[in-house]
Amino acid sequence: MIKSVTAVEGALSVAWDAGGASRFPYLWLRDNCTCPLCRDPRNGQRLFDALDLPAEPRPSRATAEGDAVSVLWSGEKHESRYAGGWLAAHDPSPAARARRRRHLTHWGAEIANDLPQADWPRVLAEPVEERRFLKALAAHGFALLHRVPLEPGQVATVGDRLGHVRVTNYGRLFDVISVPNPNNLANTAMALGVHTDNPYRDPTPGLQLLHCLEAGAPGGDTLLVDGFRAAEELRRRHPEDFSLLSCLPLPFHFADASADLRAATSIISSDFEGQVTAVHFNNRSMSALDLPEEDILPWYRAYRRFAAILREPAGELRIRLDPGDLLIMENNRALHGRTAFDPSRGRRHLQGCYVDKDGVESRRRVLERSVA
Ligand SMILES: [Fe+2]
């Protein structure tokens, strides 16, 4: 609750009943006026341009009215009201901004018996369960669904229910399939190190879904590594290597008869305050570095140290997908791979698709506001 407001130089200071005060710059307050002349009441879209505002708006009066602040702007005949809860939720002080930051759960091998998971029929039927599942997915960067019907194409049905399937040159979905081949008994299908899928796309797919239809072949367990935790580990042990991988771009490339896909990005992306926001790691599709000569060897030193951290057993989560299981991964965080398997001793069939992250996050937020 608001205790009092005071006009100070360039900003309004709001003192709270609970103690402390927050400062809100006048131009920011004026720009965020929510009156029907300033914002479309139907959708909250701003109805004026930044250049329509005075460069230095000043209040002629600012008062606390119940749990709101009312500001009459000097020279404009315009009055704005700001609810106390809205101001508190947008407090620009360092402590308040730290509280608002996305709080992620870093994980590794230790959560093998405590996976973020749900039953698909319950998620479909119960909005509260769907909200819980989507929150767990957002916090961990992956989550597992059980009891998804054993029918081809279900992976895209799940994708379109939680968000929007992203169609690529591989189509709406793709098959990862291996059938027993008696002529090839000695061959073991290769292990795959953990990676980001398709970093040669711009943007890189946000989420990957993998639905297990058959798991008869021994081996082929799914490996997951928290790329954000690994990046933080690199920053802790070798800050200079973290900086190199955060600023130097790496080109990725994929080409076949009908496609030529290229994108360049740093292996680690961070926001302006240094919080890791994305990891792009894919040994198979990384292309030749295109950097000044003096940066090349330092980059490889950093890359190899990061690759070594990604292989550490403490960070590696192993999941045996059974038929009907569907794994959802944030592609730029939960790096995935698999152990080797023996294709001569059983069928293995997964179907996958990509889903844009914004649609799934939007669905979670809508559920958060509408589900008690
Ligand atoms: Fe992959």
Side-chain angles (χ1 to χ4, degrees):
M1 292 286 282
I2 293 170
K3 189 168 148 194
S4 63
V5 295
T6 318
V8 294
E9 180 58 31
L12 198 66
S13 175
V14 176
W16 307 101
D17 274 342
S22 312
R23 288 167 58 101
F24 301 92
Y26 292 134
L27 181 57
W28 181 94
L29 280 173
R30 179 64 189 86
D31 189 41
N32 285 292
C33 177
T34 54
C35 84
L37 293 174
C38 289
R39 297 280 182 152
D40 187 321
R42 292 164 300 183
N43 53 28
Q45 297 272 290
R46 188 182 276 96
L47 297 171
F48 59 86
D49 190 88
L51 295 179
D52 297 335
L53 295 179
E56 294 182 8
R58 289 279 174 274
S60 55
R61 176 174 59 74
T63 48
E65 293 175 4
D67 192 32
V69 172
S70 168
V71 177
L72 189 62
W73 295 101
S74 164
E76 271 203 276
K77 292 203 175 70
H78 196 97
E79 187 165 13
S80 306
R81 262 182 87 79
Y82 307 92
W86 186 88
L87 289 170
H90 295 84
D91 180 352
S93 70
R97 297 193 66 258
R99 280 195 299 276
R100 287 202 294 277
R101 220 167 276 153
R102 193 176 166 203
H103 294 289
L104 301 172
T105 309
H106 284 176
W107 47 266
E110 74 283 355
I111 65 157
N113 296 318
D114 187 22
L115 298 176
Q117 56 192 331
D119 260 6
W120 179 237
R122 270 195 70 194
V123 168
L124 272 176
E126 299 171 28
V128 173
E129 181 64 2
E130 183 177 359
R131 180 185 61 174
R132 186 195 66 78
F133 176 74
L134 293 178
K135 279 178 84 164
L137 171 63
H140 292 83
F142 81 96
L144 187 59
L145 284 170
H146 303 291
R147 296 174 61 210
V148 176
L150 286 174
E151 295 158 15
Q154 278 289 315
V155 70
T157 305
V158 173
D160 275 333
R161 165 60 201 260
L162 298 177
H164 312 285
V165 169
R166 173 155 167 217
V167 180
T168 71
N169 57 313
Y170 303 148
R172 250 171 78 72
L173 54 84
F174 49 86
D175 285 283
V176 186
I177 192 161
S178 169
V179 293
N181 178 352
N183 299 326
N184 213 0
L185 285 179
N187 271 3
T188 295
M190 251 185 9
L192 280 182
V194 296
H195 60 275
T196 309
D197 257 32
N198 296 196
Y200 41 79
R201 297 186 192 283
D202 184 8
T204 305
L207 294 161
Q208 179 175 191
L209 279 62
L210 276 179
H211 182 205
C212 177
L213 291 168
E214 290 177 278
D221 293 351
T222 297
L223 299 177
L224 287 179
V225 171
D226 186 347
F228 286 11
R229 177 158 105 166
E232 290 300 346
E233 201 51 39
L234 182 70
R235 170 152 51 192
R236 198 179 61 76
R237 294 185 206 170
H238 306 289
E240 69 290 0
D241 291 339
F242 179 92
S243 300
L244 284 177
L245 295 189
S246 298
C247 66
L248 298 177
L250 173 64
F252 293 100
H253 185 209
F254 173 83
D256 64 10
S258 60
D260 191 323
L261 294 158
R262 294 164 195 256
T265 181
S266 57
I267 287 187
I268 298 169
S269 309
S270 310
D271 65 18
F272 78 106
E273 290 171 311
Q275 192 173 32
V276 174
T277 53
V279 169
H280 289 81
F281 186 87
N282 190 318
N283 196 51
R284 285 171 297 150
S285 60
M286 91 183 227
S287 188
L289 266 185
D290 182 6
L291 292 176
E293 185 191 347
E294 64 269 25
D295 288 331
I296 290 177
L297 290 182
W299 184 90
Y300 272 104
R301 180 198 64 206
Y303 178 71
R304 288 164 63 91
R305 280 178 172 159
F306 188 49
I309 290 172
L310 289 173
R311 281 201 205 171
E312 288 174 357
E316 196 175 80
L317 186 59
R318 270 172 197 242
I319 301 177
R320 176 80 193 165
L321 292 182
D322 290 318
D325 288 348
L326 190 153
L327 184 60
I328 307 183
M329 297 156 277
E330 277 186 21
N331 190 36
N332 287 328
R333 177 180 174 193
L335 308 184
H336 66 285
R338 65 152 193 252
T339 62
F341 65 98
D342 183 350
S344 70
R345 291 173 53 201
R347 293 169 61 93
R348 182 176 190 271
H349 186 187
L350 303 173
Q351 278 193 327
C353 72
Y354 301 119
V355 170
D356 290 331
K357 209 166 126 186
D358 58 353
V360 178
E361 292 183 335
S362 163
R363 186 164 179 90
R364 186 192 79 238
R365 293 188 198 106
V366 169
L367 283 166
E368 280 173 354
R369 73 183 183 214
S370 63
V371 176

